[in-house]
Amino acid sequence: MEVRLHGMWASPYVIRVIWALTLKGVEYEYIEEDLSNKSMAVLEYNPIYKKVPVLVHNGKPVIESAVILQYIEETWPDGTPLLPEDPYERAMARFWIDFGQQKSLTFFAFFLTSEEDKHKTAAQVLETLKILEEEALGDKKFFGGNTINMVDLFFGWLTYSFGCMEHISGVQVLLPKNLPRLHQWTLDFKQEPVIKENLPDSTALLEHFKRVTKHLKSSNKFNPA
Amino acid sequence: MEVRLHGMWASPYVIRVIWALTLKGVEYEYIEEDLSNKSMAVLEYNPIYKKVPVLVHNGKPVIESAVILQYIEETWPDGTPLLPEDPYERAMARFWIDFGQQKSLTFFAFFLTSEEDKHKTAAQVLETLKILEEEALGDKKFFGGNTINMVDLFFGWLTYSFGCMEHISGVQVLLPKNLPRLHQWTLDFKQEPVIKENLPDSTALLEHFKRVTKHLKSSNKFNPA
């Protein structure tokens, strides 16, 4: 098969790629990786980071989800466009994806915050989300306007993760009250057929995040400070 | 004037944009910013990060140097291409720029390392540079092949900064011995006319980095750990 995706079902980095390939109507073979015992393929294709997703197209690997999304857009330009046509609008889309990359630690810190820091962490998450709501989403239905684009796919994992974050951290973001437009976006995004049909199981996800959080906290592998 | 660039002469983020505009033959007005007293324009155009470079085109701001470079490529497609045509090669170029963004702290840590950590820091810098040499540059003259491209512009500030880094940290990277191909690249890159004519003054740069390092170390604003 010419397109293969090495992934892991609960990864926010992988699901973006699944959505993008599905939106483009690209057929692919999916290989679920055991992250505690990665396949030789992942280690060979991604020796620098040894992470998923790895997209393999005609035998050649593309890694890092933001890079893969642009590759998909340029390789399969037909079908749903993932970026606007106008260069300025494209720059804005790339800017928000870059913003999400720079702020990713903020979101992950939410899972791993300590009891004493949890309100400070929640305030930082809210501040970041407020920028997204006011500056990136504005009055639009989606980040992409009337239809979803690469920015929606990039932040899409948030739409089903707030519940987990709140449950694990014990802090309420109160999205409907604090960020009503962003909250409406999470509802609209999950109603899109391609997204709706490709969402992780919420119960399994919560159990997964609990396990990962416990493991990271006990091994001190993550220091959000 | 339709194109304006708000910059700061010693910034590695700004010089990439200057090189790209010059390679494309785009005329622009340059506004030097005092980073301790930024202009209202920078604060208004870049309220999120309040940083330079800010490229203003027809009154609209583009920020973040990697985003600006792609904007320049798409807005002025004629002239020297900054990205390859092939989607896979484009993905690779974007991957290496993303790698540089992820590793930027490693390079800045080199300036700010403590006496006890300096050899560990130097080893990390060398390890990162080795990946660049072996995986990204390989046997090519430039990251872009026979001609420079966006990846060369992105990493180009390194070509004139090793001397400063070594002087300030007291650690030798010994580029010619340890990384001969990357060393040759630094020489070739600086010989390109557009680059040669747009390099910061090395004496002024060293003084500048000394001041910044002293300021950051004393204010504890930077913790490379």
Side-chain angles (χ1 to χ4, degrees):
Chain A
M1 197 147 195
E2 81 166 3
V3 183
R4 268 179 297 139
L5 175 63
H6 294 261
M8 190 272 166
W9 69 275
S11 162
Y13 306 104
V14 172
I15 198 159
R16 300 166 178 159
V17 178
I18 291 176
W19 290 332
L21 289 169
T22 311
L23 274 168
K24 288 290 189 185
V26 176
E27 283 191 41
Y28 64 98
E29 179 189 355
Y30 177 78
I31 298 127
E32 177 74 11
E33 293 283 338
D34 173 2
L35 297 191
S36 62
N37 181 24
K38 290 165 192 161
S39 72
M40 280 308 291
V42 167
L43 303 180
E44 276 171 28
Y45 284 136
N46 188 359
I48 295 176
Y49 303 121
K50 303 178 181 67
K51 283 181 188 168
V52 292
V54 176
L55 183 78
V56 186
H57 185 205
N58 295 327
K60 291 192 287 188
V62 186
I63 52 183
E64 292 300 283
S65 67
V67 174
I68 295 174
L69 291 181
Q70 297 210 57
Y71 177 76
I72 290 172
E73 172 70 353
E74 297 189 341
T75 302
W76 294 282
D78 298 337
T80 311
L82 302 183
L83 280 177
E85 270 192 49
D86 175 67
Y88 188 77
E89 295 304 319
R90 293 165 76 86
M92 288 298 98
R94 291 192 179 111
F95 171 78
W96 288 114
I97 288 170
D98 181 87
F99 175 81
Q101 289 178 305
Q102 293 193 38
K103 297 292 182 186
S104 63
L105 277 187
T106 303
F107 295 117
F108 290 112
F110 203 17
F111 285 103
L112 296 157
T113 188
S114 62
E115 190 57 28
E116 67 243 38
D117 283 342
K118 70 183 193 182
H119 292 290
K120 199 178 116 197
T121 305
Q124 284 170 346
V125 172
L126 261 182
E127 191 188 340
T128 301
L129 293 175
K130 206 165 195 67
I131 293 173
L132 267 188
E133 180 180 90
E134 290 181 0
E135 307 294 330
L137 186 61
D139 292 324
K140 305 194 296 288
K141 181 175 181 183
F142 297 112
F143 291 101
N146 292 324
T147 52
I148 57 178
N149 77 359
M150 202 180 282
V151 183
D152 294 277
L153 300 186
F154 191 86
F155 289 103
W157 71 284
L158 289 171
T159 64
Y160 59 78
S161 299
F162 287 117
C164 285
M165 288 184 187
E166 293 181 331
H167 189 99
I168 288 173
S169 69
V171 187
Q172 302 295 306
V173 177
L174 297 176
L175 212 59
K177 176 176 160 280
N178 289 322
L179 299 159
R181 285 180 290 175
L182 201 66
H183 174 66
Q184 186 59 46
W185 166 74
T186 68
L187 303 178
D188 291 337
F189 182 78
K190 285 186 286 189
Q191 280 308 311
E192 289 289 294
V194 162
I195 307 303
K196 199 174 180 174
E197 289 154 22
N198 292 282
L199 286 174
D201 178 77
S202 58
T203 312
L205 199 69
L206 181 58
E207 290 311 312
H208 169 78
F209 277 134
K210 276 185 189 168
R211 271 196 311 276
V212 171
T213 303
K214 198 174 160 193
H215 175 70
L216 287 175
K217 278 190 173 176
S218 68
S219 66
N220 268 325
K221 272 191 184 161
F222 184 88
N223 177 8
Chain B
M1 198 146 192
E2 82 167 1
V3 183
R4 269 178 296 139
L5 175 64
H6 294 261
M8 191 273 167
W9 69 274
S11 162
Y13 306 103
V14 172
I15 199 161
R16 301 165 177 159
V17 177
I18 291 175
W19 289 334
L21 289 170
T22 311
L23 274 169
K24 288 289 189 184
V26 177
E27 284 192 40
Y28 64 98
E29 180 189 354
Y30 178 79
I31 298 125
E32 177 74 11
E33 292 283 337
D34 173 1
L35 297 191
S36 61
N37 181 25
K38 291 164 191 162
S39 72
M40 280 309 291
V42 167
L43 303 180
E44 277 170 28
Y45 285 136
N46 188 359
I48 296 176
Y49 303 121
K50 303 179 183 66
K51 284 181 187 166
V52 292
V54 176
L55 183 78
V56 186
H57 185 204
N58 294 327
K60 290 192 289 188
V62 186
I63 51 183
E64 293 298 285
S65 66
V67 174
I68 296 174
L69 291 181
Q70 298 210 56
Y71 177 76
I72 290 172
E73 172 69 352
E74 297 189 340
T75 302
W76 295 281
D78 299 335
T80 311
L82 302 183
L83 280 176
E85 269 191 51
D86 175 66
Y88 188 77
E89 295 304 319
R90 293 165 77 86
M92 288 298 99
R94 291 193 180 111
F95 171 78
W96 288 113
I97 288 170
D98 181 86
F99 175 81
Q101 289 178 307
Q102 293 194 37
K103 297 290 183 186
S104 63
L105 277 187
T106 303
F107 295 116
F108 290 112
F110 203 17
F111 284 104
L112 296 158
T113 187
S114 62
E115 190 58 28
E116 67 242 38
D117 283 342
K118 68 183 193 182
H119 292 290
K120 199 177 117 197
T121 305
Q124 285 170 347
V125 172
L126 261 182
E127 189 189 339
T128 301
L129 293 174
K130 207 165 194 67
I131 292 173
L132 267 187
E133 181 182 89
E134 290 181 0
E135 307 294 331
L137 187 62
D139 292 324
K140 304 192 298 288
K141 182 175 181 183
F142 298 111
F143 291 100
N146 293 324
T147 53
I148 57 179
N149 76 0
M150 203 180 281
V151 183
D152 294 276
L153 300 187
F154 191 86
F155 289 103
W157 71 284
L158 289 171
T159 65
Y160 58 78
S161 299
F162 288 117
C164 285
M165 287 185 187
E166 293 181 331
H167 190 100
I168 288 173
S169 68
V171 187
Q172 302 294 304
V173 176
L174 296 176
L175 212 59
K177 177 175 159 280
N178 289 323
L179 299 158
R181 285 181 289 175
L182 202 66
H183 174 65
Q184 186 59 46
W185 167 73
T186 69
L187 303 178
D188 291 337
F189 182 77
K190 285 186 286 188
Q191 280 309 310
E192 289 290 294
V194 162
I195 308 302
K196 199 176 181 175
E197 288 154 24
N198 292 283
L199 286 173
D201 178 78
S202 57
T203 311
L205 200 68
L206 181 58
E207 290 310 312
H208 169 77
F209 279 135
K210 277 185 190 169
R211 271 197 310 276
V212 171
T213 304
K214 198 174 159 191
H215 175 69
L216 287 176
K217 278 190 172 175
S218 69
S219 66
N220 268 326
K221 272 191 184 163
F222 184 89
N223 177 7

